[in-house]
Amino acid sequence: MASAFSYLLITFSFFTVVSLAQSSPSASLFLPPPHAGSLPAMLLPLFLSPPNASRTSPDTRRLLQRSDARMGLYDDLLLRGYYTTRLWIGTPPQRFALIVDTGSTVTYVPCSSCQQCGTHQDPKFQPELSSTYQPVKCNLDCNCDDKKVQCVYERQYAEMSSSSGVLGEDVVSFGSLSNLEPQRAVFGCENEETGDLFSQRADGIMGLGRGDLSIMDQLVDKGVVSDSFSLCYGGMDVGGGAMVLGGISPPTDMVFTHSDPFRDGNSPYYNIDLKNIHVAGKPLLLNPRVFDGKHGTVLDSGTTYAYLPEEAFLAFKDAIMKELHSLQKIRGPDPNFNDICFSGAGSNVLELSKTFPAVDMVFSNEQKLSLSPENYLFRHSKEHGAYCLGVFQNGKDPTTLLGGIAVRNTLVTYDREHSKIGFWKTNCSELWERLQISGAPPPMPSAPNGKNSTVEIPPTLAPTEAPHYVLPGELQIGEITFDIIFNVSYSDLEHHITELAKLIADDLEVIPSQVHLLNFTPNGNDSLIRWAIFPAGFSNYISNATAMNMIARFAEHRVELPGTFGSYKLVRWSIEPLAKRTWWQQNYPIVLVAVIGTLLIGLSASGMWFIYRHRQQKLNAYKPVNAAVPEQELQPI
């Protein structure tokens, strides 16, 4: 399942909500349209959810489905973090967190009637509570259920997960940041899901690939957006960015390549015309046709990594390793994978280009897209200053698959109207200022009679209320403080504080000793608790990415606690940089070892000297003349 673009607020659900918008949260954000009189396009913040610590097995990495062209792409971001968007369906609106997927053409959410659906972030969709819901009746353009009454859908993915259900139509709302009015759209109401779709945290999928059921196609057919969308992913350890539906005025130095929508018939995939890859300015010795096998080169920003055909991967790997003379090759963080990793590069992402070579993707029109090291590396999770190659062999599949890692800090424009895709290197976390965005008030969902509905999205759930989590620079954080209100009385909660601290530690994936209770006071009928999270050890610190993950989990109510602790609300958070240590604090382990070593050496030397003197005294002891001595036997002559 892939990532895509929309007029929607995006949540990067790996772990963390990181708002990169610098403008007022109440303002809608726009980009200038590409031509006079064209429909406006809108830019919205993109949020990062960090990945879990490890992958599971090689065959769960995302691959293209082999047979059915309607199949999406399996998204191993389900294991390591994924892009989601907030979408509201129905009247009054019911909220869902959906994985945006450029490789799928149907949007679906769990239905209240589903008996084979997992436990997800939000409650299931309840059609009976929506006054505007209508089932899609059986017709010649859809697959029908056994009774020939209602249209159905079914999606199967390469890793053997699946989703099936009925098709319905309802009002879809795009959040309070959007100036796009709620639109009626067809979507899937799940009755069964299996595999990773069953176990994932996100509620469902938002399909933005090419196809009649795609949200993008439905909006274009209604004439409310132009046939183009864009996405900008933040860089390593920062995340965030922006998503756009509709055309934008491309920067003058944007690099374009042809994208053939009819390459595989009516394929949902977005392909590009890649001809070669240069490493450190030197082309790989490959036939250009190596990037044109099967589905060609597919750009799928929802995939975590990049996957090359065997011949191209081996050439790329060898070229990279020839340029790395000062680094040591080490084992990867997960023993289940034979990752190619290097240590000694340092922790500053901005300095990686001094160690790792530049990589260029060369298109058929001879234009180049220059990639930074963060576009083909991922950070080693167990060794400081170590990185691993984020480019893998795509099994025996001749398809080239370029995932989200390849477009970090890159504005990618999918110009479907003109069959081309553009790339522009930029700092996605600063895209708001770089593109000179202006604001306008957003519309709210309307009731069926055309009047504004009295039902509003709760402020704590609305995208505009998400606090900013971008931290100033790459900090070494020594303390994160949270003020959290629990709707449980002080007297009921005070005997369970230790249990609560352990539950929080488990959910944030830290050890209990890192969670400290700073203050615990009544707050009316509620309880106000101040917690502090400290690094695991004296010499460690908390990284920006980890801090943003923790903040986002509380702010997005993704810290899962038993019902006995009620609900909670994050009211304040703060960070403290790691305090600068004195010379003694920085070097005391070395000094201590030196002192202990000196003492041991001194004691050993003293002991040896004592033994030596004792033996000498025995050998040279004075004996009187008449002292009895053992009789000595003469040696034979």
Side-chain angles (χ1 to χ4, degrees):
M1 296 146 237
S3 282
F5 313 74
S6 86
Y7 284 98
L8 313 177
L9 179 68
I10 295 296
T11 309
F12 210 14
S13 276
F14 354 168
F15 29 99
T16 293
V17 180
V18 186
S19 171
L20 296 174
Q22 301 297 322
S23 59
S24 169
S26 62
S28 294
L29 304 168
F30 296 89
L31 293 174
H35 308 291
S38 298
L39 294 167
M42 181 169 55
L43 176 69
L44 288 177
L46 191 65
F47 297 103
L48 168 66
S49 172
N52 293 331
S54 62
R55 293 163 280 168
T56 55
S57 61
D59 62 350
T60 60
R61 283 179 174 156
R62 181 172 184 157
L63 303 173
L64 288 172
Q65 182 69 20
R66 294 181 179 275
S67 56
D68 190 346
R70 297 188 307 164
M71 294 298 176
L73 303 174
Y74 171 61
D75 191 349
D76 72 343
L77 290 170
L78 293 175
L79 300 175
R80 296 186 56 82
Y82 41 65
Y83 285 98
T84 66
T85 183
R86 291 289 182 264
L87 198 66
W88 286 261
I89 302 176
T91 307
Q94 302 175 42
R95 189 189 78 154
F96 301 95
L98 305 181
I99 300 173
V100 289
D101 186 351
T102 59
S104 185
T105 57
V106 63
T107 296
Y108 50 84
V109 298
C111 214
S112 59
S113 58
C114 183
Q115 300 299 317
Q116 299 295 326
C117 289
T119 302
H120 302 296
Q121 183 167 329
D122 299 290
K124 299 174 183 176
F125 177 69
Q126 302 183 62
E128 63 276 11
L129 297 184
S130 174
S131 61
T132 49
Y133 176 80
Q134 291 181 351
V136 178
K137 296 182 179 180
C138 184
N139 59 73
L140 297 177
D141 296 326
C142 75
N143 296 322
C144 299
D145 60 12
D146 295 338
K147 298 179 180 179
K148 305 297 181 183
V149 175
Q150 189 170 357
C151 291
V152 297
Y153 79 94
E154 182 177 1
R155 293 294 181 269
Q156 295 177 350
Y157 299 93
E159 88 294 355
M160 304 308 294
S161 65
S162 65
S163 171
S164 60
V166 298
L167 292 179
E169 184 181 3
D170 208 335
V171 174
V172 175
S173 308
F174 302 101
S176 55
L177 278 179
S178 173
N179 77 321
L180 181 65
E181 294 183 357
Q183 302 289 327
R184 293 196 66 86
V186 175
F187 65 98
C189 205
E190 280 187 309
N191 285 325
E192 182 178 358
E193 57 187 16
T194 64
D196 287 322
L197 294 176
F198 183 91
S199 59
Q200 71 187 17
R201 174 70 171 158
D203 300 310
I205 301 297
M206 179 180 179
L208 292 169
R210 294 186 178 100
D212 293 339
L213 290 177
S214 167
I215 284 288
M216 185 68 196
D217 284 70
Q218 293 187 63
L219 295 177
V220 170
D221 290 343
K222 290 175 180 291
V224 295
V225 299
S226 58
D227 199 6
S228 179
F229 61 91
S230 302
L231 178 67
C232 202
Y233 287 2
M236 185 183 291
D237 293 340
V238 178
M243 185 172 67
V244 180
L245 272 186
I248 64 173
S249 295
T252 56
D253 54 346
M254 176 169 269
V255 174
F256 283 96
T257 178
H258 178 67
S259 181
D260 184 2
F262 305 109
R263 175 191 167 90
D264 300 315
N266 294 322
S267 170
Y269 308 136
Y270 296 101
N271 56 67
I272 59 177
D273 201 359
L274 180 65
K275 290 303 179 186
N276 206 344
I277 296 175
H278 292 182
V279 176
K282 293 171 285 191
L284 301 182
L285 300 179
L286 296 169
N287 188 317
R289 286 180 294 181
V290 72
F291 299 108
D292 199 35
K294 199 176 180 180
H295 297 287
T297 297
V298 174
L299 180 69
D300 186 357
S301 53
T303 300
T304 308
Y305 305 110
Y307 299 88
L308 302 179
E310 182 177 11
E311 182 183 358
F313 168 73
L314 294 176
F316 178 79
K317 179 193 69 172
D318 291 344
I320 291 291
M321 296 185 69
K322 285 180 182 178
E323 299 296 326
L324 302 178
H325 308 293
S326 60
L327 302 183
Q328 179 184 358
K329 187 177 177 182
I330 60 173
R331 295 179 63 85
D334 191 332
N336 295 318
F337 293 88
N338 189 25
D339 289 328
I340 301 170
C341 303
F342 307 91
S343 65
S347 60
N348 189 345
V349 175
L350 300 177
E351 300 291 327
L352 291 182
S353 58
K354 296 180 180 180
T355 307
F356 292 93
V359 173
D360 298 316
M361 291 197 303
V362 184
F363 305 119
S364 59
N365 56 6
E366 299 304 321
Q367 293 204 56
K368 296 180 181 178
L369 173 64
S370 295
L371 305 182
S372 303
E374 68 174 351
N375 295 124
Y376 61 84
L377 298 173
F378 65 92
R379 193 184 291 278
H380 197 294
S381 61
K382 294 183 179 179
E383 183 160 340
H384 187 68
Y387 299 85
C388 304
L389 200 62
V391 180
F392 303 94
Q393 181 179 328
N394 196 8
K396 296 299 180 181
D397 193 329
T399 299
T400 297
L401 182 62
L402 301 179
I405 191 173
V407 290
R408 282 170 168 165
N409 276 332
T410 306
L411 175 66
V412 184
T413 295
Y414 292 69
D415 189 346
R416 308 190 330 166
E417 181 179 359
H418 300 99
S419 300
K420 61 182 182 179
I421 294 178
F423 303 89
W424 184 55
K425 294 295 293 182
T426 185
N427 185 333
C428 289
S429 64
E430 298 176 357
L431 190 62
W432 310 95
E433 293 85 0
R434 299 282 295 274
L435 295 178
Q436 299 179 348
I437 302 162
S438 60
M444 291 302 294
S446 300
N449 59 8
K451 298 180 180 179
N452 289 336
S453 171
T454 57
V455 179
E456 296 184 358
I457 300 170
T460 56
L461 302 181
T464 53
E465 296 297 322
H468 297 275
Y469 308 115
V470 178
L471 305 181
E474 184 65 26
L475 300 178
Q476 294 185 348
I477 298 170
E479 178 183 347
I480 312 173
T481 303
F482 300 98
D483 288 352
I484 302 174
I485 291 180
F486 290 84
N487 68 339
V488 178
S489 67
Y490 179 89
S491 58
D492 290 336
L493 194 57
E494 63 177 333
H495 300 297
H496 301 281
I497 287 295
T498 302
E499 178 187 356
L500 179 58
K502 186 179 185 304
L503 290 169
I504 291 175
D506 291 343
D507 199 282
L508 296 182
E509 297 181 351
V510 299
I511 57 178
S513 61
Q514 291 179 248
V515 181
H516 292 228
L517 175 66
L518 299 184
N519 195 18
F520 178 30
T521 57
N523 187 57
N525 294 326
D526 302 328
S527 299
L528 176 62
I529 304 179
R530 174 169 291 181
W531 302 96
I533 310 293
F534 292 96
F538 180 81
S539 60
N540 295 330
Y541 61 89
I542 301 173
S543 68
N544 279 33
T546 302
M548 291 188 295
N549 173 37
M550 293 180 180
I551 297 166
R553 292 189 68 82
F554 277 120
E556 283 286 294
H557 298 88
R558 291 188 283 117
V559 174
E560 298 182 1
L561 300 172
T564 53
F565 292 100
S567 61
Y568 64 86
K569 179 181 179 181
L570 176 64
V571 294
R572 180 182 173 276
W573 62 268
S574 64
I575 61 169
E576 292 292 336
L578 190 67
K580 290 186 177 181
R581 293 175 291 170
T582 64
W583 183 92
W584 165 250
Q585 289 175 319
Q586 291 177 336
N587 298 281
Y588 90 92
I590 299 175
V591 174
L592 187 59
V593 169
V595 170
I596 293 174
T598 302
L599 289 174
L600 290 174
I601 292 172
L603 290 173
S604 299
S606 299
M608 293 175 64
W609 174 252
F610 176 79
I611 294 172
Y612 172 78
R613 292 292 299 168
H614 182 67
R615 287 180 178 175
Q616 287 296 109
Q617 289 174 357
K618 278 190 172 184
L619 290 174
N620 300 322
Y622 170 77
K623 297 181 178 59
V625 176
N626 60 349
V629 295
E631 183 176 346
Q632 302 294 324
E633 182 177 336
L634 298 176
Q635 295 296 323
I637 299 176

